[in-house]
Amino acid sequence: MINDLRKNRSTRMIHKARYWRGFVEIVILLTLLTANVTQASAASDWDNALDDINAIHGEYTALQGVIKADRLKIQKLRKENNDDLKTVNAQLLAVDQALLSRLKTETEAIRKKYAPLLEQYSTLSKQSTAAKKAGDTKTATLLDLKRNKLKAAVTAARAEVKNKVDALAAARKATAAKTKPAKDAIAPVAAIRKQIVAGNKSLAAEQKLRLEADTRYKSAVKQGNAITAAVELKLSYAHMSKIHTMQQMLYSSEQSIALAVRTAESKLPK
């Protein structure tokens, strides 16, 4: 009886040991299978990332060339616009410059010539008024006599000064009328330039983001990390696309300035 109990206990222990051994073997098998699946998935992701890099690399390189060409094109047109606008402004300043300079000089000279006489007349008038207020009739009469003796000369001087001033004003008005069409043509340039300044700031910010993405891309390539490299290359390409669009807008603005300058040149006084 005792032997039978021992035999049954031994049998149960053997079955139990077999059960646990089988369980452990299954766990190990599942672990190996999961590891293989993970490795296979990782390998698949790496290959897909490499395919993405290969697919976009050609367009990426081509867009780099377009952006460089656009930058040079914008710089060239901007320099031409600046030079041409400078020339137009110089030509506008030169319109009737000799006449205006002569009339201005003559006006200043005539004012200087008669300044002592007009000052003397004004002083006598003030002194006479003060004497009358003070009840000093004798002094007031004497001052009036001196002032009135100068009256004819003062009237003539004032008329001569006025003629020169009027001549200068008329010349300036005529010059303004001559130059108005050209000035009106280039008037929008100031606002366009403000837009260009704002556009350049946005472009610089986008270029910074693109450079950062490109740096991360190159770092990932050095590390053999195709997945990160693909992500950063796509991001860099996206920034480049925005840069290209911004450059087109800037070039369009420069073209608007060029058109304004050409129009102004055609309206310059002959």
Side-chain angles (χ1 to χ4, degrees):
M1 184 67 174
I2 293 174
N3 290 333
D4 290 339
L5 290 173
R6 289 177 177 174
K7 184 176 180 180
N8 290 336
R9 184 182 299 170
S10 176
T11 300
R12 286 197 300 272
M13 291 178 66
I14 291 171
H15 285 308
K16 189 174 182 179
R18 288 176 178 174
Y19 168 78
W20 283 110
R21 184 174 64 187
F23 178 77
V24 171
E25 289 175 349
I26 291 172
V27 170
I28 293 172
L29 179 60
L30 288 174
T31 300
L32 292 174
L33 288 173
T34 301
N36 289 335
V37 169
T38 301
Q39 291 176 357
S41 177
S44 177
D45 290 343
W46 197 93
D47 289 338
N48 289 336
L50 190 60
D51 289 340
D52 289 342
I53 292 173
N54 289 331
I56 198 176
H57 198 273
E59 296 178 10
Y60 181 91
T61 303
L63 188 54
Q64 277 184 316
V66 171
I67 287 175
K68 181 179 180 180
D70 283 350
R71 183 175 66 252
L72 295 175
K73 186 168 64 173
I74 291 170
Q75 290 174 347
K76 181 176 181 293
L77 182 55
R78 182 170 297 161
K79 184 180 184 305
E80 291 175 355
N81 285 341
N82 290 339
D83 292 342
D84 292 343
L85 191 60
K86 184 178 180 181
T87 299
V88 168
N89 284 326
Q91 290 176 319
L92 285 171
L93 287 174
V95 174
D96 294 338
Q97 187 59 42
L99 173 64
L100 293 174
S101 295
R102 178 176 63 79
L103 291 175
K104 183 179 179 182
T105 300
E106 290 177 355
T107 300
E108 291 173 350
I110 206 71
R111 279 175 168 167
K112 184 177 180 180
K113 175 183 177 181
Y114 292 120
L117 174 63
L118 297 176
E119 179 64 26
Q120 183 184 8
Y121 185 83
S122 177
T123 300
L124 289 171
S125 295
K126 291 177 182 178
Q127 289 174 342
S128 175
T129 299
K132 289 174 182 178
K133 286 183 178 180
D136 188 351
T137 307
K138 181 180 179 180
T139 301
T141 301
L142 181 61
L143 291 169
D144 285 344
L145 288 170
K146 290 182 177 180
R147 181 196 63 190
N148 292 337
K149 185 178 180 181
L150 299 174
K151 194 168 187 177
V154 167
T155 300
R158 284 175 174 171
E160 193 171 346
V161 170
K162 184 177 183 302
N163 287 338
K164 291 296 183 181
V165 170
D166 289 347
L168 177 59
R172 284 174 172 170
K173 185 177 180 180
T175 301
K178 289 180 185 178
T179 58
K180 187 177 185 301
K183 287 183 176 180
D184 287 346
I186 59 173
V189 170
I192 296 173
R193 278 182 164 174
K194 287 183 179 179
Q195 294 175 354
I196 290 174
V197 170
N200 282 331
K201 289 182 179 179
S202 298
L203 179 62
E206 199 64 35
Q207 287 173 331
K208 183 175 182 294
L209 294 174
R210 185 257 163 176
L211 180 60
E212 291 171 352
D214 191 58
T215 300
R216 293 192 297 269
Y217 160 70
K218 291 176 180 178
S219 177
V221 170
K222 288 181 179 180
Q223 296 170 10
N225 189 338
I227 296 174
T228 299
V231 171
E232 297 301 339
L233 184 63
K234 289 178 181 178
L235 183 58
S236 179
Y237 184 78
H239 288 306
M240 286 171 63
S241 296
K242 292 181 181 179
I243 290 170
H244 178 51
T245 299
M246 290 178 178
Q247 285 181 325
Q248 288 179 316
M249 294 174 64
L250 288 171
Y251 187 71
S252 177
S253 295
E254 292 293 346
Q255 285 180 313
S256 297
I257 291 178
L259 178 60
V261 173
R262 297 287 88 77
T263 302
E265 286 175 340
S266 69
K267 295 180 181 297
L268 285 169
K270 304 301 182 182

